[in-house]
Amino acid sequence: MAAYDFDAIELKWQKRWETDRVFNVTEDPARPKFYNVCMYPYPSGDLHMGHVRNYTYGDLITRYKMMRGFNVLSPFGWDSFGLPAENAAIETGIHPRTFTETQIARMTQQIKRLGAGYDWDRELAAHEPSYYHWDQWLFLKLYERGLAYKERAPVNWCPKDATVLANEQVVDGLCDRCGTVVEKRDLSQWFFKITDYAQRLLDDLEGLQWPERVVTMQRNWIGRSEGCQFTMQVADSDLSFEVYTTRPDTSFGMTFAVLAPEHPLVPALIEGQEVQHEAEAYITAARAATEIERVAEGDKSGVFTGRYAINPVNGALVPIYIADYVLMGYGTGAIMAVPGQDQRDWDFATKYGIDIIRTVQPPSDFEGEAYTGDGPAINSEFLDGLEMDAAKAKTIEWFEAKGIGYGTINFRLRDWLISRQRYWGCPIPMIDCPDCGLVPVPEEDLPVIHPDIDDYAPGGRSPLASSPEFVNVDCPQCGGPAQRETDTMDTFVDSSWYFLRYADASNDEAIFDPDKVKYWMPLDQYIGGVEHAVLHLLYARFITKFLADMGMVGVQEPFARLFTQGMIQLEGGKMSKSKGNVVTPDRFIESHGADALRLYHLFIGPPTEGAIWSERGVDGTSRFLDRVWRVATGEVGQPESRPETDADRGILALAHRTVEKVTEDIDRFVFNTAVAALMALSNALTSYARDGARQETLDEVLRLMLLMLSPMAPHFAHELWERKGFAGMLVYHAWPEPDPALLVEETVTMVIQIDGKVRDRLDVSASISADEAEAAALATEKIVGWTDGKTIRKVIVRPPNLVNIVVGE
RNA sequence: GCCGGGAUGGCGGAAUGGUAGACGCGACGGACUCAAAAUCCGUUGUCCGUAAGGACGUGUGGGUUCGAGUCCCACUCCCGGUACCA
């Protein structure tokens, strides 16, 4: 049993904060604002420990920044469209809306029981018409500006279930429901033209206070490369194709060319060739594979088309292959292959017995296969002797002079495919008219309400297609019979702007009031899982830039400071509902209370790193709170009023050093060591109280302790604050400042090493000089013993911490 | 495969290139108790040694340095992402 009735105390303060509207805020130009958001969750039904970790960090920041004098906005919402609700509906027949709203109700209760402070007036949920109305509006704006377009693209298709599958539903190339081999089917689908923003998305990464690893991942994902595109003529025909290469300098080393299996030229190329059947079978197989399988090393495969292309730099004939390690989605879908300088090409050439010509001289100690580094060009006629960059430039010049190629910039980033052949998502507000073509739904007709249907399973067409009342409409342009778009939007569309809606969440006239958004944006802190490092964060940046271009948002970047937390693991696997290893917070709140649970989350390890959930961990933080409680409620020792002694000054100095340490740790987002420092203070305080505390000192140390605990274990801290009779409600109190005079340490332990090994220690004055330190170190009994009869070659002195005596041989 | 990250006692973890293992869990010993729980006190990296003390020790192999968990090179394994999980 805990030393205090956490259940009663926690409920009491949760109610108090709610009635006092402590976390409900409005724009206030007089105060500095702080906009703090945790990534909104998918309502999966139960809070898991990853959520608790997230909201514990978020709430710590909210409360800490409030104590620092900021007008803090901390809202909450739900990413409530998505696949799981639809799957549940297919399995159980429960409507996805009912299912989702039940889950939301359940999770809301759990979140409130954690005691995290949110402005619930701004709560939003993506599946509500009041929200997805503006998804549709956003789509129309993108369409108006030519940033939404329709094009054919493949989807995963299970022929047995006659349904479209998400990548997640394809396991080892098989349908995860029935085990049938999954195929690809081409469907006409909507894309957002994020590639128009590629350069800006890359450039604006500079200057963000983001973890370096996330910036690197985004930079690599956008994948800007400078290279050269040129035309390759197919021998004995008038066919030709374009290739893109980042290494035009290696053109003389081209010994084959490769087309992606989906390349439009392929059918014409293999038509009538001996290999036609083999090639067609290969193409079918390649289309069935996932991209990851296709580009994986080790089993590169392809087929020779029987045709040759002409290498424009030297007129050599090179065989044309079809191989699935070349992707249609990148560059031109065709490459010149230079096995001497590219490992993938090397692997392929080795497997198929193709010539390898080195065109860059590797260093003499090079032992690898393909050499991708810099060096003088060889076997390359007019390039010979040039270093890589010069050779690149000269080749591009040569291509441009001949009019067969040009220098160009390429991005790895592809346009964002937003069409989903699913029920539980936002309807795309477009109408297909046989006379007028694609016609947008007029803004005044929004929202296009999501219809109720009976069969949620995506069959040969999108589920929404099964509702004739939904599909059949009058064309807004000509009034004739027309049909609605039946695909829904990727849920990443919902999550790419929700943080803007929080600023004006109940606006039913517009997506938001730009003035309110301009007050709150950008987010001063965004906290979420590291698994969102690329997709969500990139899409949100894109949409923010788009709305900024419309003049509706005042910033180019939505998330000024980002924190990505590591994932909580449970014996070797990520916690997720699908893996059935979710640990909910409920039983820990029942047995130890929300504060002890929150504190354990802060203590479990560095926030950036993953952590393994330990069943007993909460015991430790719970015992810590108990100890503080006992001291604060006078159960330890008999404090009295008396003159100040060294012991009193000692504990007070420790408290101030702890304030300094905890403040630093919070500012650099490292909470485990902050909690450890508070535990150390509590241990010292307990001994101090037992050995006879001075009342005034004890109260002051406790006061500082409660202030520091306030953002971490808020109910506990508030209750003791009130019981001790300290003034006001703790949440409104200012964060403590350490007294510099109390931070100075007078003596330190100096380490004495011989050849880098610790041989003795000495307590010295913190202001000891180098000469004094050296003399003192050489004079200790142990050191005299170690150095006796040896030559001292050198002494490294770093006063007051260390002396290293180099003896050697 | 590619991109990003990680590896330190029995366990979670701490450590501006300068005392490896803070803080906590667990375990062991003790106090209190009829007993147990709770609480409190102590011990706790490994090996040798009665002790004093010593040797070894941060995934593996090299390197830089007076000094490396920390920096560099090459690996191994684990985790996240890989564009329709969110």
Side-chain angles (χ1 to χ4, degrees):
Chain A
M1 256 327 276
Y4 65 104
D5 186 352
F6 52 79
D7 214 44
I9 289 170
E10 289 175 357
L11 292 172
K12 164 186 163 184
W13 286 99
Q14 284 162 17
K15 196 173 167 199
R16 184 75 178 277
W17 297 325
E18 196 177 332
T19 4
D20 287 15
R21 295 180 59 78
V22 168
F23 299 99
N24 298 87
V25 292
T26 51
E27 298 78 56
D28 176 4
R31 274 195 298 163
K33 65 93 186 178
F34 194 94
Y35 187 15
N36 182 35
V37 180
C38 292
M39 289 179 188
Y40 75 164
Y42 176 78
S44 53
D46 267 307
L47 229 50
H48 60 65
M49 289 309 179
H51 293 126
V52 179
R53 191 182 207 198
N54 198 189
Y55 308 143
T56 300
Y57 295 162
D59 193 43
L60 188 156
I61 295 299
T62 296
R63 291 169 183 270
Y64 174 69
K65 290 294 175 182
M66 283 173 73
M67 294 176 81
R68 288 292 201 181
F70 290 90
N71 184 27
V72 181
L73 170 56
S74 173
F76 207 90
W78 304 96
D79 187 12
S80 47
F81 273 137
L83 205 48
E86 193 165 313
N87 288 338
I90 293 165
E91 278 166 36
T92 65
I94 299 171
H95 193 287
R97 182 178 304 110
T98 314
F99 179 84
T100 300
E101 287 173 358
T102 309
Q103 313 269 52
I104 289 177
R106 183 174 166 71
M107 285 174 85
T108 302
Q109 261 194 327
Q110 291 177 313
I111 287 160
K112 291 194 169 172
R113 188 59 190 78
L114 280 175
Y118 299 108
D119 184 348
W120 286 102
D121 292 353
R122 298 167 189 263
E123 182 180 8
L124 55 82
H127 76 286
E128 288 168 357
S130 59
Y131 186 85
Y132 69 68
H133 182 153
W134 306 107
D135 278 330
Q136 294 171 347
W137 178 88
L138 185 65
F139 181 98
L140 294 180
K141 294 297 149 189
L142 286 157
Y143 182 74
E144 270 172 30
R145 285 159 177 76
L147 291 168
Y149 66 92
K150 208 169 187 186
E151 199 173 271
R152 291 184 79 76
V155 293
N156 299 311
W157 175 261
C158 173
K160 180 157 178 284
D161 294 350
T163 184
V164 173
L165 298 175
N167 286 344
E168 197 192 42
Q169 297 172 302
V170 182
V171 180
D172 297 327
L174 306 177
C175 172
D176 73 340
R177 293 222 186 91
C178 67
T180 307
V181 174
V182 173
E183 301 170 354
K184 288 275 166 49
R185 273 206 174 182
D186 279 335
L187 294 179
S188 179
Q189 305 187 74
W190 285 99
F191 288 82
F192 286 165
K193 217 168 173 183
I194 191 174
T195 51
D196 269 15
Y197 284 72
Q199 189 65 51
R200 287 167 66 187
L201 288 167
L202 185 65
D203 291 344
D204 292 351
L205 285 169
E206 300 287 331
L208 291 177
Q209 289 182 61
W210 281 26
E212 199 46 51
R213 59 171 161 165
V214 177
V215 171
T216 304
M217 275 190 270
Q218 291 224 349
R219 192 178 288 128
N220 293 342
W221 186 264
I222 296 166
R224 183 184 199 273
S225 69
E226 292 181 18
C228 175
Q229 187 168 323
F230 62 90
T231 308
M232 297 266 291
Q233 204 64 42
V234 178
D236 304 321
S237 87
D238 51 7
L239 300 174
S240 68
F241 57 94
E242 296 279 301
V243 299
Y244 172 78
T245 177
T246 56
R247 293 295 304 273
D249 59 307
T250 64
S251 297
F252 286 93
M254 176 188 346
T255 53
F256 61 108
V258 185
L259 300 184
E262 304 88 343
H263 195 286
L265 193 68
V266 165
L269 218 49
I270 58 173
E271 176 73 40
Q273 296 290 314
E274 263 178 52
V275 294
Q276 184 170 354
H277 287 299
E278 190 194 335
E280 281 166 355
Y282 179 78
I283 292 162
T284 308
R287 282 176 52 79
T290 68
E291 279 189 20
I292 295 171
E293 289 162 354
R294 282 178 53 166
V295 298
E297 205 184 322
D299 57 342
K300 286 213 170 41
S301 66
V303 282
F304 175 46
T305 56
R307 310 290 292 258
Y308 290 82
I310 301 161
N311 182 349
V313 293
N314 58 8
L317 288 183
V318 296
I320 305 173
Y321 281 78
I322 300 165
D324 64 2
Y325 76 97
V326 173
L327 302 175
M328 196 57 224
Y330 181 72
T332 59
I335 62 159
M336 68 163 194
V338 185
Q341 267 72 231
D342 185 288
Q343 189 62 42
R344 293 160 300 182
D345 298 346
W346 175 287
D347 294 342
F348 192 86
T350 311
K351 181 167 175 180
Y352 290 95
I354 304 167
D355 291 345
I356 296 170
I357 303 170
R358 284 198 193 281
T359 55
V360 178
Q361 182 65 54
S364 55
D365 60 348
F366 179 71
E367 287 173 1
E369 299 177 331
Y371 176 67
T372 56
D374 201 351
I378 52 172
N379 303 322
S380 298
E381 301 180 14
F382 61 85
L383 300 176
D384 281 350
L386 294 177
E387 296 291 315
M388 184 168 70
D389 286 339
K392 278 184 186 177
K394 190 157 181 185
T395 314
I396 291 169
E397 223 172 87
W398 187 90
F399 275 122
E400 286 175 351
K402 295 263 177 186
I404 50 173
Y406 52 92
T408 183
I409 288 162
N410 209 343
F411 291 94
R412 205 188 74 99
L413 181 68
R414 308 203 292 252
D415 276 339
W416 177 10
L417 195 171
I418 61 124
S419 291
R420 299 290 182 266
Q421 296 70 43
R422 305 207 172 269
Y423 175 69
W424 197 233
C426 171
I428 293 173
M430 293 296 292
I431 290 167
D432 195 357
C433 171
D435 294 325
C436 312
L438 290 171
V439 180
V441 173
E443 264 183 57
E444 58 273 21
D445 293 349
L446 297 184
V448 175
I449 295 284
H450 200 259
D452 285 340
I453 59 169
D454 298 325
D455 183 11
Y456 308 109
R461 46 194 187 164
S462 299
L464 295 185
S466 69
S467 168
E469 312 85 70
F470 176 77
V471 175
N472 298 315
V473 286
D474 296 338
C475 171
Q477 248 170 51
C478 67
Q483 299 206 308
R484 282 193 196 280
E485 169 67 58
T486 55
D487 283 357
T488 53
M489 290 187 214
D490 180 4
T491 57
F492 276 125
V493 176
D494 316 333
S495 58
S496 64
W497 64 278
Y498 74 103
F499 46 87
L500 300 168
R501 180 72 179 173
Y502 280 141
D504 193 16
S506 49
N507 193 329
D508 52 14
E509 301 294 317
I511 184 167
F512 49 70
D513 173 354
D515 288 338
K516 291 185 174 174
V517 162
K518 281 168 190 165
Y519 174 81
W520 289 112
M521 288 297 286
L523 273 69
D524 299 280
Q525 183 69 62
Y526 194 33
I527 309 174
V530 67
E531 66 273 18
H532 295 289
V534 178
L535 294 180
H536 161 60
L537 291 169
L538 193 67
Y539 294 144
R541 294 179 60 221
F542 162 52
I543 294 299
T544 302
K545 286 182 190 303
F546 169 71
L547 289 167
D549 290 349
M550 286 182 67
M552 297 194 59
V553 176
V555 292
Q556 284 293 321
E557 285 292 329
F559 314 127
R561 188 167 180 231
L562 172 72
F563 184 83
T564 48
Q565 63 181 51
M567 306 192 57
I568 301 261
Q569 282 170 235
L570 191 67
E571 257 120 44
K574 154 184 175 179
M575 271 195 205
S576 70
K577 198 151 191 191
S578 57
K579 294 189 184 164
N581 60 353
V582 170
V583 177
T584 69
D586 301 23
R587 64 192 161 94
F588 294 96
I589 289 177
E590 250 171 61
S591 58
H592 297 81
D595 283 329
L597 178 64
R598 290 168 55 132
L599 221 39
Y600 177 57
H601 271 283
L602 297 173
F603 187 59
I604 191 169
T608 47
E609 305 303 320
I612 295 166
W613 182 256
S614 154
E615 289 286 313
R616 306 299 299 268
V618 188
D619 291 351
T621 50
S622 176
R623 281 197 275 252
F624 159 62
L625 290 178
D626 282 349
R627 277 191 280 267
V628 176
W629 183 272
R630 290 200 187 91
V631 174
T633 52
E635 288 173 47
V636 183
Q638 308 246 301
E640 53 185 13
S641 283
R642 54 168 170 73
E644 200 176 40
T645 66
D646 280 350
D648 305 328
R649 281 186 287 272
I651 190 75
L652 191 64
L654 179 62
H656 280 259
R657 284 201 301 275
T658 306
V659 171
E660 187 188 39
K661 166 80 177 153
V662 169
T663 307
E664 269 174 22
D665 283 350
I666 292 178
D667 285 336
R668 64 188 181 112
F669 235 87
V670 178
F671 308 129
N672 52 331
T673 48
V675 176
L678 288 170
M679 285 174 167
L681 178 61
S682 150
N683 293 343
L685 186 62
T686 304
S687 308
Y688 170 75
R690 193 171 22 243
D691 298 346
R694 176 171 172 268
Q695 187 70 59
E696 295 79 0
T697 305
L698 182 70
D699 286 347
E700 175 58 11
V701 173
L702 274 168
R703 197 184 68 88
L704 293 171
M705 173 79 96
L706 296 178
L707 284 167
M708 288 186 278
L709 277 174
S710 172
M712 305 182 186
H715 317 85
F716 175 92
H718 276 71
E719 179 69 17
L720 281 181
W721 186 264
E722 189 180 69
R723 289 192 187 206
K724 291 294 291 182
F726 297 133
M729 206 202 297
L730 183 51
V731 72
Y732 297 123
H733 202 284
W735 184 256
E737 299 285 348
D739 178 351
L742 289 172
L743 297 177
V744 183
E745 296 201 64
E746 282 169 8
T747 62
V748 293
T749 300
M750 183 172 77
V751 168
I752 308 166
Q753 298 178 328
I754 292 177
D755 291 338
K757 292 191 175 175
V758 179
R759 295 303 182 190
D760 204 359
R761 296 180 172 85
L762 204 56
D763 284 337
V764 299
S765 155
S767 56
I768 193 168
S769 74
D771 289 347
E772 286 167 338
E774 180 172 343
L778 287 168
T780 77
E781 200 181 319
K782 280 188 192 170
I783 296 303
V784 168
W786 278 97
T787 53
D788 188 37
K790 301 211 170 96
T791 315
I792 294 171
R793 301 154 72 97
K794 197 171 170 185
V795 180
I796 315 267
V797 187
R798 297 279 179 278
N801 299 310
L802 174 128
V803 174
N804 186 18
I805 300 157
V806 184
V807 177
E809 282 309 309

